Amino acid sequence: MMLKRGEVVKLVRVVAETRELEIGCDECFERLDSYAETELSGLDASAAMPLVGDHLEKCADCRSTLEALLRALRAT
Ligand SMILES: [Zn+2]
């Protein structure tokens, strides 16, 4: 689960280079791990992964999944 900082940056770049207008819950969920890791490493996750950030703004389900994930990661 825990990624090294360099791996996070690499993931973030890959995601940022993917040019899609919108993602759905499935894709959001797939990226939620790295989104949470980015946030916990002190970076602006919604700036690094705008598609996920955008989806999270619209989708309360994914937002509560992210919150649960952040709580779980902070507890470890
Ligand atoms: Zn969603």
Side-chain angles (χ1 to χ4, degrees), residues 35-71:
Y35 190 92
E37 298 277 3
T38 303
E39 190 142 307
L40 288 176
S41 64
L43 300 168
D44 187 347
S46 66
M49 301 171 73
L51 290 171
V52 177
D54 183 55
H55 182 85
L56 288 167
E57 261 174 45
K58 298 176 199 159
C59 183
D61 283 351
C62 289
R63 221 155 45 224
S64 59
T65 307
L66 173 66
E67 277 159 24
L69 194 58
L70 287 171
R71 268 198 304 274

Side-chain angles (χ1 to χ4, degrees), residues 1-14 33-45 48-49:
M1 177 67 97
M2 291 300 290
L3 294 167
K4 293 192 193 83
R5 193 178 194 88
E7 290 172 327
V8 173
V9 171
K10 218 186 301 173
L11 270 174
V12 167
R13 272 199 207 114
V14 169
D33 271 10
S34 34
Y35 190 92
E37 298 277 3
T38 303
E39 190 142 307
L40 288 176
S41 64
L43 300 168
D44 187 347
M49 301 171 73

